[in-house]
Amino acid sequence: MIPFSKPAITGNEIKYANEAMSKGKLSGDHDFTRMCNSWIEKQTRTRKAFLTTSCTHALEMAALLTDIKDGDEVIMPSYTFVSTANAFVLRGARIVFVDIMPDTMNMDEKLIEQAITDRTRAIVPVHYAGVGCEMDTIMRIARKHNLFVIEDAAQGMMCTYKGMALGAIGDIGTFSFHETKNYTCGEGGAILVNDERFVKRAEIIREKGTNRSQFFRGEVDKYNWQDVGSSWLPSDINAAFLFAQLEMADKITDNRLKSWNLYHERLRSLEEKGCLELPKVPVECNHNGHMYFIKLNNLVERTDAINYLKEKGISAMFHYVPLHSSKAGLRFGRFCGEDKFTTKESERLLRLPLYYGLSTDDINFVCDKIKAFLKR
Ligand SMILES: *Cc1c(COP(=O)(O)O)cnc(C)c1O
């Protein structure tokens, strides 16, 4: 069986976790956490990065930092993971979904302005498959209407838009280091605080609402309860595991891009014949090979393809069920404008196996089976 995804293991994970153990420092914010934070800051040129226990938690921190309150509205695509919405619903916000574009599956920036009301507080672009949203336009709209921009860059570490790192363009950005992402420690994430105004409070909110970080740096002589907050520090063992992956991030990215490009080459003739559609990457975007997807004609054909490939030993997967049509989405949000592409395109999309170390033979095998499926 060719699995759909497999976590990358690059060699130093256990060695670094052992180092953390031999230092006897297992809780958060010790050496490896600090090394990861600095690495992310340098890589993305963000003001301040903090490891978190997940991207979900980084998004929850972002909702707290931007003071999202009962009745506020937050604009985002419906084609995303539940956490993008949940983080804001937890603060009492209503979610306003806008349609996506079929080429990138990213939120259509041309539809954002019509979704803005006097209750709108934030825009949350999701960089699907690590391909950047049209950030220049989104930032211009946000500044004009005085809105926060929180980038869900869960899939977008090591990616750029016009040379800027995804996650470091908006006011706040978030990464995921979940097992299914390119660079992982099982469960983990990071918040990128690009706006100086949020830095001090981010540190406090992440530390259970206390100024313990200032205390550890010797800036105050005791620490106490300062603000709301929760416990969003990963263990230094997780950070040690992650640091081994960050050191190898270029190698992981190159390997995934090699696989991505091979799929693209091998499937091009099918697109030219009009049998399927392949992903499009705008020229201003560099991606990280997080995902390779094809688009079939419709839901029925996609379901057949999943079953056919499974019979041949290939695990291919559909992706998000649009949030606006789900049980919670109906309760907590509304779709603004017409759903031209969100439902239709989500039903056609099929993700192919892609992970660090996927062999050329396996990619050729998958492509051959897709060809055979379309020929039946
Ligand atoms: C993976 C993912 C998340 C959630 O990340 P966790 O680290 O598992 O909480 C959020 N948004 C998007 C777009 C994702 O792909």
Side-chain angles (χ1 to χ4, degrees):
M1 193 83 193
I2 302 175
F4 170 69
S5 156
K6 240 195 312 198
I9 303 294
T10 54
N12 280 334
E13 287 86 352
I14 296 301
K15 183 175 151 226
Y16 289 173
N18 265 317
E19 273 177 40
M21 285 194 281
S22 60
K23 283 179 187 166
K25 296 292 183 192
L26 305 184
S27 62
D29 276 352
H30 287 294
D31 292 354
F32 281 106
T33 304
R34 283 200 282 263
M35 282 151 71
C36 288
N37 292 348
S38 310
W39 189 95
I40 295 169
E41 283 159 15
K42 229 168 103 192
Q43 164 67 29
T44 63
R45 281 173 276 146
T46 182
R47 197 166 302 276
K48 200 88 195 73
F50 298 99
L51 285 196
T52 57
T53 32
S54 64
C55 180
T56 301
H57 285 163
L59 288 162
E60 287 176 23
M61 275 184 72
L64 277 173
L65 286 170
T66 50
D67 267 324
I68 301 296
K69 291 194 174 60
D70 208 20
D72 288 349
E73 291 181 355
V74 178
I75 296 171
M76 66 181 65
S78 167
Y79 187 70
T80 183
F81 188 60
V82 293
S83 297
T84 321
N86 248 337
F88 300 93
V89 169
L90 276 168
R91 308 259 68 80
R94 281 200 70 73
I95 308 300
V96 178
F97 298 110
V98 300
D99 209 7
I100 53 169
M101 296 174 288
D103 51 353
T104 57
M105 304 296 282
N106 281 338
M107 177 160 65
D108 187 343
E109 70 282 353
K110 298 180 291 303
L111 303 175
I112 293 174
E113 221 154 8
Q114 70 188 48
I116 295 173
T117 71
D118 52 12
R119 310 195 114 187
T120 308
R121 294 292 313 279
I123 305 170
V124 188
V126 179
H127 306 300
Y128 189 67
V131 174
C133 295
E134 183 35 53
M135 289 307 290
D136 271 358
T137 309
I138 292 171
M139 294 310 291
R140 203 173 325 116
I141 295 168
R143 293 301 169 247
K144 181 174 154 198
H145 296 273
N146 203 17
L147 307 174
F148 294 115
V149 173
I150 297 149
E151 297 177 73
D152 183 342
Q155 304 166 15
M157 200 180 87
M158 308 298 282
C159 302
T160 58
Y161 164 85
K162 297 188 179 174
M164 293 175 283
L166 298 188
I169 304 169
D171 301 290
I172 296 173
T174 63
F175 285 164
S176 172
F177 302 117
H178 184 262
E179 177 189 279
T180 51
K181 304 302 200 282
N182 290 20
Y183 327 91
T184 183
C185 56
E187 299 276 357
I191 183 166
L192 278 63
V193 185
N194 305 320
D195 185 326
E196 180 64 42
R197 279 179 302 172
F198 297 132
V199 171
K200 200 172 159 203
R201 190 158 180 242
E203 193 176 73
I204 288 169
I205 282 176
R206 180 169 161 276
E207 258 288 14
K208 299 98 182 159
T210 75
N211 56 348
R212 184 151 75 172
S213 302
Q214 291 167 7
F215 172 71
F216 282 146
R217 287 196 299 268
E219 293 165 16
V220 289
D221 56 14
K222 56 182 180 304
Y223 76 88
N224 56 23
W225 188 19
Q226 302 274 318
D227 202 335
V228 294
S230 190
S231 183
W232 285 317
L233 290 74
S235 148
D236 221 49
I237 302 175
N238 276 43
F241 192 102
L242 179 65
F243 189 69
Q245 304 237 324
L246 297 184
E247 280 189 330
M248 293 292 181
D250 281 326
K251 196 175 161 197
I252 295 172
T253 312
D254 290 350
N255 182 272
R256 295 187 75 117
L257 282 172
K258 198 179 76 169
S259 297
W260 196 100
N261 290 326
L262 189 57
Y263 271 129
H264 213 52
E265 225 172 82
R266 295 283 333 262
L267 296 173
R268 186 164 300 144
S269 63
L270 291 174
E271 185 174 50
E272 280 160 7
K273 282 187 208 136
C275 302
L276 48 65
E277 279 172 44
L278 303 181
K280 307 283 175 298
V281 180
V283 284
E284 58 272 22
C285 297
N286 282 325
H287 70 100
N288 59 2
H290 176 62
M291 183 194 303
Y292 196 86
F293 63 77
I294 59 173
K295 294 230 196 108
L296 297 162
N297 279 311
N298 51 44
L299 183 58
V300 174
E301 193 184 36
R302 184 186 67 181
T303 308
D304 288 348
I306 291 173
N307 293 332
Y308 179 88
L309 293 172
K310 197 169 164 193
E311 272 171 31
K312 307 293 174 197
I314 299 163
S315 174
M317 308 266 256
F318 58 87
H319 210 184
Y320 308 128
V321 176
L323 298 184
H324 74 281
S325 54
S326 63
K327 186 179 165 199
L330 290 167
R331 202 169 134 209
F332 298 123
R334 65 181 162 83
F335 199 94
C336 176
E338 189 193 342
D339 172 10
K340 248 185 174 156
F341 297 114
T342 300
T343 301
K344 186 168 153 250
E345 299 301 309
S346 69
E347 289 178 348
R348 300 173 57 205
L349 184 140
L350 182 64
R351 296 179 295 160
L352 304 181
L354 183 51
Y355 48 85
Y356 176 72
L358 176 61
S359 74
T360 303
D361 284 352
D362 282 352
I363 294 172
N364 285 334
F365 181 74
V366 173
C367 293
D368 289 346
K369 292 306 160 208
I370 290 170
K371 277 175 196 166
F373 168 76
L374 290 168
K375 257 207 201 114
R376 288 174 321 158

